[in-house]
Amino acid sequence: MCELLGMSANVPTDICFSFTGFLHRGGGTGPHRDGWGIAFYEEGGYRDFRDPHPSVRSPIARLIRDYPIKSHVVISHIRQANVGQVRLANTHPFVREMWGQPWCYAHNGQLAGWQALPLSFYTPVGDTDSEHAFCWLLGELRRRFPRRPANDVEREGMWRLLHQLCERLRGLGVFNLLLADGDYLYTFCSTKLAHITRRAPFGQASLSDAELAVNFAEHTTPDDIVSVIATEPLTDNEAWERMAPGELLVWRDGTIRARYGRREPEPGAAAGCV
Amino acid sequence: MCELLGMSANVPTDICFSFTGFLHRGGGTGPHRDGWGIAFYEEGGYRDFRDPHPSVRSPIARLIRDYPIKSHVVISHIRQANVGQVRLANTHPFVREMWGQPWCYAHNGQLAGWQALPLSFYTPVGDTDSEHAFCWLLGELRRRFPRRPANDVEREGMWRLLHQLCERLRGLGVFNLLLADGDYLYTFCSTKLAHITRRAPFGQASLSDAELAVNFAEHTTPDDIVSVIATEPLTDNEAWERMAPGELLVWRDGTIRARYGRREPEPGAAAGCV
């Protein structure tokens, strides 16, 4: 299994602390030696850093750990290859432009029968089930919504469709997902995803995977809201909430804006917004 | 004016030497303080590193200079902003996937009336003339060639169309271009581009912009062919060839595979392949 790490925040925030713990799972405390990547959204722009080598020994990973890039939305992935060779083209996160926004995607799990998912606007560069599923999913969104949703009704329609598409992929195997467009972060749980929201009063946190603690009160203002989503909780002294299988969360500025599928409904049924 | 740097090679080659000189133009010997970026194709994959800060002070640029990434095709750009704010979304190179290949683009120059270029498959994320022209150009290629050219005839038809599109953009102002799909590197000259091909017997080269010399014979094998293309020659002891205005070169594995527009023909007329 690969490892996923995501962040949504209402102020540009660096992810160095969480990334330090996460990094150790890439060949350190974890078996995920087959590459890693991290994507940042900054002021409407996007950049990612990817390396097909284990993250614990990657000079690029060290740069990211030591060079604080402040972002509202982050997606990171450490890979343990199952489908597709260990090479750059198969290294998450993947990105495609839709509606003038860079959409970023990382997947944990394995799918069966993914080759039959029909492609339209987007074509994989590599040969993984993950990237094929991404190209299909984004193509389906774009076929139904040729333009960016312009209001709340269209937007919620798009989110419901996204939930249906995720449920269809969950029907093909394990599909834990992080997806983002720069404003929103979407997290879908098939088997394993946990999240935590940090806000005032901020406390101290200590990493499960490395000897490091941080007092968030020293690095934040009272209005900051920062949520972190990961395959497994990254800290050992905080209460992380686990997502339910089939659940889609829509995050913006560190808070959950909509939630679908919490009570394990039939695929396609929405459980409503919060 | 921005600065462009490209490389095409028949063996995976690191560009550290050329990049060291190029880097100095980003706020060192040059006025190009508004961000920089570099893209590498590796084993069918793609990655880029972009920073909206001056390259001479960028920790990411230092990493690229010191961490040799070996590639067949490289595109790099240092920006001096004219259209569009200094921010990540406006930082070259730009990338879009077409036909399952990551197409990478960097532009030097300024265009007039670019807003009227109609868009189809691709939409700009930022607000520069450069990215708009890229989205138009790639969209036009894809409209005429919905699938990747499958043979030499189709491929040469696509190259002729590319030359026509570049000529149309040259009609809007200054349009010096580096474009790549991972196999081929395309260079189009509107006002300024020079190139050099290094092959056995390899000699010594010294940078124009920094105190550094390299003896390529120590770093190469007799079969290596490495071509470098830049806005201005990067070395002061080698014979660089300047491209003609309106000329498109198609590079693969370090050599020129086709050449269009050398004798300043009417826009749209091809001067043939070599």
Side-chain angles (χ1 to χ4, degrees):
Chain A
M1 291 283 280
C2 308
E3 294 265 346
L4 296 172
L5 170 64
M7 187 194 80
S8 170
N10 68 341
V11 287
T13 303
D14 82 64
I15 198 163
C16 292
F17 173 73
S18 296
F19 189 69
T20 299
F22 190 60
L23 203 61
H24 274 259
R25 299 189 181 170
T29 56
H32 315 287
R33 302 180 160 274
D34 301 329
W36 64 280
I38 187 166
F40 301 89
Y41 289 91
E42 302 162 71
E43 302 168 341
Y46 170 91
R47 56 178 157 179
D48 60 46
F49 300 84
R50 289 176 296 121
D51 210 349
H53 308 298
S55 57
V56 284
R57 286 197 303 273
S58 165
I60 303 175
R62 277 201 300 275
L63 174 86
I64 300 304
R65 196 190 54 196
D66 300 337
Y67 177 50
I69 293 179
K70 289 182 183 289
S71 176
H72 281 91
V73 177
V74 173
I75 285 181
S76 185
H77 181 273
I78 298 177
R79 183 164 184 237
Q80 183 179 21
N82 39 52
V83 176
Q85 289 176 298
V86 177
R87 61 189 181 99
L88 187 61
N90 291 338
T91 305
H92 305 226
F94 301 106
V95 63
R96 293 291 187 282
E97 173 259 306
M98 179 167 72
W99 309 326
Q101 296 177 289
W103 284 70
C104 170
Y105 161 106
H107 165 225
N108 153 322
Q110 196 166 356
L111 304 174
W114 51 274
Q115 298 92 338
L117 294 167
L119 302 174
S120 50
F121 296 100
Y122 304 100
T123 305
V125 174
D127 52 7
T128 60
D129 52 349
S130 300
E131 190 188 11
H132 190 105
F134 174 44
C135 289
W136 171 78
L137 187 152
L138 217 58
E140 293 298 297
L141 288 175
R142 187 165 168 173
R143 285 202 311 126
R144 283 276 296 277
F145 294 90
R147 296 213 180 95
R148 186 172 174 177
N151 55 49
D152 283 351
V153 173
E154 285 185 19
R155 202 169 291 118
E156 285 167 23
M158 193 272 281
W159 295 344
R160 273 193 300 276
L161 174 60
L162 174 61
H163 183 243
Q164 291 165 16
L165 299 171
C166 290
E167 281 290 50
R168 184 151 162 212
L169 290 168
R170 185 163 75 110
L172 301 182
V174 174
F175 186 71
N176 298 299
L177 165 79
L178 300 183
L179 178 73
D181 62 10
D183 295 322
Y184 294 94
L185 172 69
Y186 306 93
T187 61
F188 179 78
C189 176
S190 173
T191 54
K192 267 203 293 195
L193 268 182
H195 57 90
I196 189 164
T197 297
R198 298 182 182 122
R199 60 176 88 214
F202 289 95
Q204 180 155 323
S206 68
L207 289 176
S208 310
D209 300 86
E211 292 285 332
L212 188 65
V214 67
N215 183 355
F216 286 115
E218 293 171 6
H219 301 276
T220 49
T221 70
D223 296 328
D224 293 5
I225 303 174
V226 180
S227 292
V228 175
I229 301 93
T231 302
E232 288 287 344
L234 287 163
T235 57
D236 52 19
N237 67 332
E238 296 176 299
W240 291 64
E241 184 179 340
R242 287 189 189 272
M243 287 179 66
E247 189 179 19
L248 172 72
L249 297 179
V250 180
W251 301 83
R252 180 163 186 158
D253 294 337
T255 58
I256 295 169
R257 297 302 171 95
R259 187 189 286 264
Y260 298 88
R262 178 69 190 180
R263 293 180 219 95
E264 282 281 55
E266 291 304 304
C273 302
V274 292
Chain B
M1 291 283 280
C2 308
E3 295 265 347
L4 296 172
L5 170 64
M7 186 194 80
S8 169
N10 70 341
V11 287
T13 303
D14 82 64
I15 198 163
C16 293
F17 173 72
S18 297
F19 189 70
T20 299
F22 190 61
L23 204 62
H24 273 260
R25 299 189 180 168
T29 56
H32 315 287
R33 301 180 160 276
D34 302 328
W36 64 280
I38 188 166
F40 301 89
Y41 289 91
E42 302 163 71
E43 300 168 341
Y46 170 92
R47 56 178 157 179
D48 60 47
F49 299 84
R50 289 176 296 121
D51 209 349
H53 308 298
S55 57
V56 284
R57 286 198 302 273
S58 164
I60 303 174
R62 277 199 301 276
L63 173 87
I64 300 304
R65 196 190 54 196
D66 300 337
Y67 177 51
I69 293 180
K70 288 181 183 290
S71 177
H72 280 91
V73 177
V74 172
I75 284 181
S76 184
H77 182 273
I78 297 177
R79 183 164 183 237
Q80 183 179 21
N82 40 51
V83 176
Q85 289 176 298
V86 177
R87 61 189 181 98
L88 186 62
N90 291 337
T91 305
H92 304 227
F94 302 105
V95 64
R96 294 289 188 282
E97 173 260 305
M98 179 166 73
W99 308 327
Q101 295 176 291
W103 283 70
C104 170
Y105 161 106
H107 165 225
N108 152 322
Q110 195 166 355
L111 304 173
W114 52 274
Q115 298 90 339
L117 295 167
L119 302 173
S120 50
F121 296 101
Y122 304 99
T123 305
V125 173
D127 52 7
T128 60
D129 52 350
S130 301
E131 190 188 11
H132 191 105
F134 174 43
C135 290
W136 171 78
L137 188 152
L138 217 59
E140 293 298 297
L141 288 175
R142 186 165 169 172
R143 285 202 311 127
R144 283 275 296 277
F145 294 90
R147 297 215 178 93
R148 186 173 174 178
N151 54 49
D152 283 351
V153 173
E154 285 185 18
R155 201 170 292 118
E156 284 167 24
M158 194 271 282
W159 294 345
R160 274 193 299 276
L161 175 60
L162 174 62
H163 183 242
Q164 292 164 17
L165 298 171
C166 289
E167 281 291 50
R168 182 150 164 214
L169 290 168
R170 185 163 74 110
L172 301 182
V174 174
F175 186 72
N176 297 299
L177 165 79
L178 301 183
L179 177 73
D181 62 10
D183 295 322
Y184 293 95
L185 171 68
Y186 305 94
T187 62
F188 179 78
C189 176
S190 172
T191 55
K192 268 204 292 196
L193 268 182
H195 56 90
I196 189 164
T197 297
R198 298 182 182 122
R199 60 176 88 213
F202 289 95
Q204 180 154 321
S206 68
L207 288 177
S208 311
D209 299 87
E211 292 285 332
L212 188 64
V214 67
N215 184 356
F216 286 115
E218 293 171 7
H219 301 276
T220 49
T221 70
D223 296 328
D224 293 4
I225 303 174
V226 180
S227 292
V228 175
I229 300 94
T231 302
E232 290 287 345
L234 287 163
T235 57
D236 52 18
N237 68 332
E238 295 177 298
W240 290 65
E241 183 179 341
R242 288 189 188 272
M243 288 179 66
E247 189 180 19
L248 173 71
L249 298 179
V250 180
W251 302 83
R252 180 163 186 159
D253 294 337
T255 58
I256 295 169
R257 297 303 171 96
R259 187 189 287 264
Y260 297 88
R262 178 69 191 179
R263 294 179 219 97
E264 282 281 55
E266 291 303 305
C273 300
V274 292

